[in-house]
Amino acid sequence: MSKRKAKDAPLPVGECISQVQDILRKRLCHQQLPDSPEGVEAQHKHLLELLKRTAVHGESNSVLIVGPRGSGKTMLLKCVLRDLLEEKEVEKNLLQVHLNGLLQTDDRIALQEMTRQLHLENVVGDKVFGSFAENLSFLLEALKKGDRSSSRPVLFVLDEFDLFAHHKNQTLLYNLFDVSQSAQAPVAVVGVTCRLDVLELLEKRVKSRFSHRQIHLLSNPTFSQYLERVQTQLGLQDDFPDKTFAQDWNASVKTLCEDKSVEDALQRHYNSSKNFRSNHMLLMLCLSRVSVAKPAIKPADLLEASKMCLVDAQANMLHGLSILELCLIIAMKHLNDVYDGEPFNLQMVHNEFKKFLQRKSNSMYNFEQPVIMKAFEHLQQLEMIRPVDSSSAKTQREYQLMRLMLDNTQVLEALQKYPQCPTDVKQWAMSAYG
Amino acid sequence: MNGYVSVMRVRVFELMMLLSAGVEETDAQSKPHQYSYPSIFIYGHQSSGKSHVLNVLLKELELPHATVSCVECVSVALLFEQVLLSFFGCHAASLLPRSPSLSDFVRIYRQQSSQSPAKQTRYIVMEKAELLRDSDANLLPALLRLQELVEDNVTVILLSEIVWDRFRPNTGCFEPLLLHFPDYSKGELQHILAQDRNPSYSDEFYSAYINILLGVFYSVCRDLRELRHLAALNFSKFCEPLAEGKVKETDTHKLWRNIEPHLKKAMQTVYLREVSSLQWEQMQQMEEKENGAVRGLSAHTHVELPYYSKFLLIAAYLASFNPARTDKRFFVKHHGKIKKTNFLKKNEKTSNHLLGPKPFPLDRLLAIFYSVVDSRVAPTASIFSQISSLVTLQLLTQVSHGDQIDAPKYKCAVSMDFICGISRTVNFEIIKYLYDFL
C-alpha cells in the first residue's frame, strides 16, 4: 500500500529511500547526536553546570562519567559540549584536549598529544620537540603561570579513563588532578570509563586529589520505553523533504512496533541487553533490507535480523564440521561425562572412538591414526579444544592434554541440526543419557 | 563474478546490503557516501569463500579498500603503513615515524582524510583476524571503533575462522556486526568442483568423477581447496582406462572400481602430505610401481644412534611408561612371581600408553640403564653428554625447568614403534619389560 502512495509523491521512490538510508545510517552507525539526550536530563544538567563553571568562572573541576558500554557516555559528553559551545564567550575561550586511553598508551605519547592539541610554543607544524621530561616541565610551567582570572580554561577529556590508570606511576593523572586542585590555570578533567571500580585503580595520592564527583549512567529503561526508543530511532523527522513519504514511513514503523511477533522479538532483545548499541545493531540489520522494491521495514525483516543477532556462533561452526570431526567431539563429550571434566589427549579420544567402531563393526569410519590426528588438529585450530598448558613443544602431539570448549547441550543441538547425520552416530551421542 | 559467487548469492546479497545500500540497483545512482557500520566480523570455515567474496565484491564495486593479512603484519607499523598506503598513497605512509604508535597512525589518518575527505566508505579488510589478539592489547578495541577515532567514513572488516566470543577483551569493546559464512553443502561442493572440468571430457563424465571423489573424502574433509587439489591430482588416473580403450565414458561402475582403491590410498598419503603431490604424480606415471611403495615422510623414522644411546633411550622409555613400584619386579634378579592383578591400584586401570609418558628422575634412568645393559659401564662424562644430546634431538624432553643440575627430570618422547625398532637392533625384548603388556 505504501508503495502505491509513494508513487504519487513528488520525489521518486529511489530518492526517498536513499534519503532514508542516509539519515538512519548516520543515526545508527555514526552515532549522530540527538537533539536532546533522553533519559539522562539530570546528568546532562549536572555536567553542563559543572563545565560552565570552569569555562566561565575559571573554577577547576574533575569528574568521572561511569556507565556500562553502550550506555551513552560519549553521547552525553558530546551533547554537553555542543550546548556549552553555543555560548559565544565560551567558544572563544575554552581550550579542549581530547585523549583516548586506547591511543595514548603511555604518558609520553599522551603528553605529546596534549602539547600538540594546545598549540604550545614547542610545536612546529605538527611535530613536537623535546624529551618527555622537557615536555612535562614545559606543560606544567605553562599551566602554572596562568591564574584564575586571566588564562584560558582548559578542558581535558580522558576517554577510556581506566587505561590511563595503568600508566607508570600514574604521572599524567597525578599532574592533571594536582593542577585542578591548586590555584593554577583553570582546568576541568572529565574521565569517561566503563569500570565501576575505577577509583580502586587510582593511587592514594592521585585519589586524594580527585574531587570524587561521579556521574553514573545506569539507564534502566522499561520495556515500553525501549519500544518507544526503537520507534524514535527509526522515525523520520519533520524536515524530511518528501512529507507524504515520511508520514508513510512513520506509520509503517508504528505498525511494525505494534506487531505481536515483533514485540516478542524485541522483548527477547530487551531481556538480553538494554543498551543503545545492541539495539542499533539490530535496527541496522533491518535497515539494510530496505530497498526501492521494498520501501518499508516488514515484521519479517526484523524477525530475521533478530535471528541473526541471537544465533549461536559456535553452533554455526559445528554445522560445518566433517563427520569424523563430529565423531571426535562426541567421543570427547563422552570422556568428559565419564571422567568428570578431566582433560584428555588424542589417544584417549581415539580409544573411545574405536570402542564405538567395535560395537558398530562398521568399516565405514575406519580411519588411520594420522587422519584422525589431522581432524583433531583442525578442531584445535578452530579453538573448539584448547591445550591445558601451552608448552606445546614439550610433549608429543598425541599425548598433549586438551579440554573441550563446548557445552553438552551445544553438541547435542548441533547433532540435531547436522545435515544427513548417520543414525548410529546420533545414537552413540545419545547413549550416555539412554 | 565467477563460479563461487553464484553459489553463495544469499551471502553476497546480505553483505552487499550491509556495505553500501542500494548498490545492486544500477539504474538508481549508488549512494556510496552513506555511512556503514563501524566494524563487521565475518566468520566461517576455512575456504568458505570469505576473502574471495569480499575481494571480488570490493573490486567489482570499485570501493576504496585496503586488504591486510595479519600473518604478514608482524609489527603494527606494517599494518599502519599498508592502510595509509592504499588509502592516501605513498606520501602518507612516509609520514609515519619509526616504531609508530596507534596515536601516530590516527593522527596521520585524520590529517590525510581531512585533506582528501572520503566520498565513499573506506574499507579495511583484516584477514586471519585471530592473530590480532596476540598483538598489542589495545589494537583490536581501537580497530573496532576506528570510525569514531578517526572521524572518517571507514569500516573495518575482520575475517576469521574463530567465533567472536573468543575475541572479546575482558573489559569489553565496541561490538561488531557478526556475519556468518555458512559451509558448503555436498551439493554445492559438487557444483563448484564440477566447474573446473577438463574440456576434453564431457560434463557428465567429470561430475561422475567428482561424485566418486566426494564419496571417499567427504566424511573426512570439507575443505574446498583441499578437495580441489585432490581432484586435480587424481583425474589422470581416473581417465586411464578410457585412454586404454577398456571402458566407455558411461560405464561408471567400472571406472569406480578402478579409482576407488586408488583414492583410498591417496587419503593415507597425499592428503596427509606423506608424499608430495609431485611424487604422487610420478608414482602414477610409473605404473609398474605399486602406489605407496615410495616411502613417505613418516617412514623415515629410523635414526642411527650409538650403542649406549640406544640403551639410554630404552631405559628412558621403560622409566616413562612403567610405574616406579614395578621396577623391583622387572629389574631385580630374584623377585617372586607376582600377578598383575595384585599390582593393580585403582587409578592404574587405564594403561600408561593411553595417558602418555610420565616424568622420571635421572637416578631412576641410570638405575634401569645399568640393569638392562649387560656389560659394566662406567658413568663417564660421555654417558651424561649422551643424555643431554638425546634431549637436544628431542627424543627426551626435560620436564623441570631452569638450572637444576642436581636432579633433573625427563620424559621420553618417542613412539612405541620407534622404540621397538631400536630395541630390535640391540636384541632387547622390550615388550617383556612393559607393564602394560604383562
Side-chain angles (χ1 to χ4, degrees):
Chain A
M1 191 176 76
S2 61
K3 200 177 169 188
R4 186 180 52 77
K5 271 191 186 169
K7 264 184 193 157
D8 308 332
L11 279 173
V13 186
E15 192 60 32
C16 285
I17 290 292
S18 143
Q19 288 276 347
V20 167
Q21 289 274 4
D22 206 15
I23 292 170
L24 292 188
R25 273 173 183 252
K26 221 176 241 168
R27 208 181 278 167
L28 298 175
C29 302
H30 196 55
Q31 324 285 338
Q32 196 197 30
L33 296 182
D35 294 331
S36 63
E38 43 170 319
V40 287
E41 288 82 9
Q43 286 96 328
H44 181 263
K45 193 160 161 259
H46 183 184
L47 192 60
L48 187 61
E49 271 310 292
L50 200 74
L51 294 186
K52 213 177 250 172
R53 282 215 294 275
T54 303
V56 179
H57 305 297
E59 209 179 277
S60 286
N61 275 315
S62 49
V63 65
L64 270 179
I65 306 177
V66 185
R69 288 201 183 265
S71 59
K73 304 179 289 290
T74 313
M75 192 261 303
L76 171 70
L77 184 65
K78 280 189 177 159
C79 281
V80 167
L81 281 178
R82 185 187 59 191
D83 296 347
L84 190 68
L85 291 179
E86 270 168 9
E87 285 183 44
K88 266 267 160 50
E89 189 196 355
V90 175
E91 195 195 351
K92 217 168 55 200
N93 235 348
L94 186 72
L95 288 170
Q96 290 184 36
V97 177
H98 290 267
L99 298 178
N100 193 316
L102 288 172
L103 302 181
Q104 281 77 42
T105 41
D106 63 31
D107 280 349
R108 188 184 58 82
I109 300 172
L111 217 56
Q112 276 188 354
E113 193 62 35
M114 274 161 72
T115 33
R116 189 178 295 120
Q117 289 190 19
L118 287 172
H119 304 294
L120 293 175
E121 290 105 79
N122 60 343
V123 178
V124 175
D126 205 26
K127 295 219 159 46
V128 181
F129 293 100
S131 65
F132 173 69
E134 277 169 4
N135 268 329
L136 181 64
S137 61
F138 188 81
L139 194 74
L140 288 179
E141 195 74 14
L143 287 171
K144 227 174 251 166
K145 252 192 256 165
D147 57 51
R148 259 184 90 150
S149 51
S150 64
S151 54
R152 291 171 72 178
V154 190
L155 169 67
F156 290 98
V157 177
L158 306 180
D159 208 346
E160 307 280 348
F161 183 83
D162 49 312
L163 294 179
F164 282 100
H166 294 305
H167 292 185
K168 189 166 175 268
N169 291 339
Q170 303 184 346
T171 318
L172 183 82
L173 292 184
Y174 174 76
N175 283 309
L176 282 183
F177 284 140
D178 195 44
V179 170
S180 80
Q181 280 290 308
S182 48
Q184 297 167 0
V187 297
V189 182
V190 180
V192 180
T193 180
C194 60
R195 283 186 66 161
L196 290 176
D197 63 338
V198 65
L199 282 186
E200 308 303 313
L201 298 173
L202 296 180
E203 280 178 24
K204 212 168 155 192
R205 60 190 181 124
V206 180
K207 203 168 162 182
S208 70
R209 280 166 174 77
F210 172 59
S211 68
H212 288 268
R213 202 180 276 121
Q214 291 193 29
I215 296 178
H216 285 280
L217 284 182
L218 305 168
S219 71
N220 197 3
T222 59
F223 182 62
S224 60
Q225 280 169 329
Y226 186 84
L227 264 180
E228 216 166 281
R229 198 164 76 192
V230 170
Q231 247 185 69
T232 49
Q233 286 290 347
L234 284 178
L236 291 175
Q237 304 284 328
D238 294 335
D239 55 355
F240 194 75
D242 188 340
K243 290 282 184 301
T244 40
F245 183 84
Q247 277 167 12
D248 277 354
W249 176 268
N250 285 342
S252 78
V253 168
K254 194 149 192 274
T255 47
L256 174 78
C257 288
E258 278 159 5
D259 190 280
K260 189 78 190 95
S261 55
V262 167
E263 208 165 295
D264 285 346
L266 286 176
Q267 177 84 51
R268 237 183 346 264
H269 279 271
Y270 170 79
N271 289 344
S272 69
S273 113
K274 296 172 189 171
N275 67 22
F276 291 96
R277 287 271 170 71
S278 60
N279 189 353
H280 284 178
M281 199 190 287
L282 177 74
L283 297 183
M284 177 67 202
L285 283 173
C286 299
L287 181 67
S288 71
R289 283 160 213 274
V290 173
S291 64
V292 174
K294 203 164 64 93
I297 300 179
K298 295 270 157 22
D301 291 334
L302 194 131
L303 293 184
E304 208 160 307
S306 144
K307 211 161 77 188
M308 238 174 109
C309 277
L310 295 176
V311 77
D312 181 11
Q314 205 62 268
N316 274 339
M317 291 308 278
L318 279 169
H319 185 272
L321 292 178
S322 66
I323 282 284
L324 174 59
E325 284 152 355
L326 197 69
C327 285
L328 291 186
I329 284 189
I330 294 169
M332 291 171 203
K333 180 194 144 266
H334 280 327
L335 283 174
N336 259 349
D337 289 347
V338 173
Y339 297 109
D340 202 21
E342 286 290 305
F344 49 81
N345 60 30
L346 174 60
Q347 291 286 348
M348 300 182 203
V349 175
H350 194 181
N351 200 39
E352 191 76 24
F353 185 43
K354 269 195 259 178
K355 273 190 219 159
F356 162 63
L357 293 184
Q358 274 165 12
R359 219 172 32 189
K360 269 308 294 173
S361 69
N362 188 346
S363 65
M364 195 187 135
Y365 310 117
N366 248 336
F367 302 111
E368 310 222 337
Q369 168 104 356
V371 178
I372 289 188
M373 169 127 37
K374 191 162 174 171
F376 196 72
E377 275 169 358
H378 186 222
L379 290 178
Q380 191 180 349
Q381 191 191 339
L382 292 173
E383 296 193 11
M384 290 183 180
I385 51 177
R386 193 175 273 180
V388 172
D389 50 351
S390 55
S391 60
S392 52
K394 286 257 162 159
T395 41
Q396 294 142 282
R397 283 183 298 173
E398 58 264 43
Y399 290 126
Q400 200 172 24
L401 288 178
M402 297 283 188
R403 257 182 224 289
L404 184 63
M405 307 303 285
L406 296 170
D407 235 6
N408 262 353
T409 49
Q410 268 175 328
V411 177
L412 292 177
E413 219 160 277
L415 219 62
Q416 300 299 335
K417 284 190 203 147
Y418 196 80
Q420 294 154 26
C421 182
T423 327
D424 46 350
V425 173
K426 230 178 224 175
Q427 280 169 350
W428 178 43
M430 297 301 183
S431 61
Y433 294 93
Chain B
M1 293 187 211
N2 67 18
Y4 300 109
V5 179
S6 66
V7 176
M8 307 179 292
R9 206 165 287 134
V10 184
R11 265 168 266 190
V12 173
F13 186 69
E14 189 94 21
L15 199 62
M16 257 190 343
M17 298 305 279
L18 274 173
L19 292 187
S20 41
V23 280
E24 87 281 13
E25 290 134 17
T26 39
D27 53 328
Q29 46 170 231
S30 60
K31 277 70 82 180
H33 57 272
Q34 288 164 352
Y35 276 97
S36 174
Y37 207 75
S39 47
I40 302 174
F41 181 85
I42 299 177
Y43 64 101
H45 275 281
Q46 209 167 29
S47 69
S48 56
K50 302 184 289 294
S51 323
H52 181 78
V53 166
L54 207 60
N55 281 334
V56 168
L57 209 58
L58 289 174
K59 226 169 247 154
E60 292 266 316
L61 301 174
E62 290 172 354
L63 300 169
H65 65 278
T67 310
V68 184
S69 163
C70 296
V71 185
E72 287 171 27
C73 293
V74 284
S75 73
V76 283
L78 287 169
L79 165 73
F80 299 155
E81 200 178 299
Q82 224 165 331
V83 170
L84 288 177
L85 194 73
S86 39
F87 285 165
F88 307 109
C90 50
H91 163 69
S94 65
L95 286 175
L96 278 173
R98 254 175 42 179
S99 65
S101 63
L102 255 171
S103 173
D104 291 321
F105 169 66
V106 167
R107 175 169 56 82
I108 291 171
Y109 190 106
R110 269 188 180 185
Q111 192 189 337
Q112 293 293 324
S113 73
S114 66
Q115 280 168 18
S116 54
K119 291 188 209 72
Q120 319 188 354
T121 312
R122 295 184 169 118
Y123 295 96
I124 303 177
V125 182
M126 312 282 296
E127 287 172 359
K128 293 251 173 220
E130 60 264 23
L131 293 166
L132 282 178
R133 295 174 300 173
D134 304 333
S135 65
D136 216 354
N138 283 335
L139 188 60
L140 184 62
L143 278 177
L144 288 172
R145 54 169 64 217
L146 197 66
Q147 189 176 94
E148 188 185 322
L149 292 174
V150 299
E151 287 166 353
D152 183 36
N153 189 359
V154 62
T155 293
V156 178
I157 303 178
L158 304 172
L159 305 179
S160 177
E161 270 184 77
I162 296 169
V163 293
W164 170 247
D165 300 341
R166 305 253 188 280
F167 277 74
R168 201 172 284 121
N170 46 13
T171 46
C173 60
F174 186 93
E175 292 288 312
L177 209 59
L178 305 181
L179 209 59
H180 178 234
F181 263 50
D183 46 282
Y184 296 119
S185 67
K186 199 169 181 180
E188 281 170 332
L189 274 177
Q190 207 159 359
H191 182 79
I192 295 168
L193 284 171
Q195 265 172 2
D196 39 22
R197 67 185 184 86
N198 199 323
S200 47
Y201 296 96
S202 71
D203 266 354
E204 295 79 43
F205 180 68
Y206 195 77
S207 54
Y209 166 62
I210 292 298
N211 211 353
I212 293 169
L213 183 92
L214 280 181
V216 174
F217 280 103
Y218 188 65
S219 58
V220 176
C221 172
R222 301 202 168 175
D223 190 335
L224 176 66
R225 226 171 295 165
E226 189 111 39
L227 287 171
R228 216 174 206 198
H229 175 66
L230 288 165
L233 271 183
N234 293 309
F235 186 60
S236 62
K237 180 79 183 171
F238 185 65
C239 299
E240 225 166 54
L242 214 64
E244 288 166 8
K246 279 185 198 158
V247 291
K248 280 182 288 186
E249 273 197 17
T250 46
D251 199 352
T252 329
H253 186 68
K254 272 193 184 150
L255 286 168
W256 176 76
R257 281 257 297 276
N258 176 45
I259 194 73
E260 220 237 346
H262 186 74
L263 287 178
K264 285 226 163 113
K265 206 149 272 166
M267 171 143 49
Q268 291 154 24
T269 49
V270 190
Y271 175 65
L272 299 167
R273 309 286 183 272
E274 276 277 300
V275 300
S276 68
S277 33
L278 187 69
Q279 273 176 318
W280 182 251
E281 273 169 0
Q282 281 168 353
M283 272 155 56
Q284 279 177 343
Q285 276 157 18
M286 292 184 285
E287 276 166 50
E288 70 273 19
K289 227 176 173 183
E290 253 309 290
N291 276 343
V294 175
R295 284 201 302 166
L297 269 183
S298 68
H300 295 282
T301 49
H302 180 70
V303 181
E304 204 49 63
L305 286 173
Y307 187 69
Y308 287 146
S309 285
K310 284 180 184 169
F311 273 107
L312 282 170
L313 202 57
I314 289 169
Y317 193 83
L318 291 175
S320 255
F321 286 92
N322 281 348
R325 293 180 304 105
T326 60
D327 281 357
K328 206 170 161 193
R329 181 240 177 276
F330 281 124
F331 301 114
V332 174
K333 282 238 169 81
H334 303 288
H335 62 84
K337 275 247 174 188
I338 310 168
K339 277 186 186 164
K340 190 181 178 184
T341 43
N342 300 346
F343 264 112
L344 279 179
K345 278 188 176 172
K346 204 181 173 193
N347 56 349
E348 276 174 5
K349 268 180 191 150
T350 42
S351 101
N352 281 317
H353 280 86
L354 214 56
L355 298 172
K358 300 259 180 317
F360 54 84
L362 179 63
D363 299 344
R364 190 167 161 230
L365 170 68
L366 287 176
I368 296 177
F369 172 65
Y370 289 130
S371 129
V372 293
V373 168
D374 300 332
S375 54
R376 293 246 2 119
V377 189
T380 54
S382 117
I383 294 290
F384 289 104
S385 75
Q386 281 186 36
I387 294 176
S388 58
S389 68
L390 282 177
V391 174
T392 47
L393 287 173
Q394 299 193 353
L395 297 172
L396 296 185
T397 48
Q398 194 162 2
V399 179
S400 49
H401 295 283
D403 35 55
Q404 290 183 348
I405 298 177
D406 273 2
K409 284 196 160 187
Y410 298 97
K411 246 186 200 181
C412 189
V414 298
S415 65
M416 179 86 186
D417 295 334
F418 184 88
I419 205 72
C420 285
I422 292 265
S423 50
R424 221 172 293 126
T425 60
V426 292
N427 288 325
F428 181 81
E429 275 189 74
I430 195 162
I431 298 292
K432 268 189 177 171
Y433 288 87
L434 278 173
Y435 180 65
D436 285 340
F437 301 97
L438 202 63

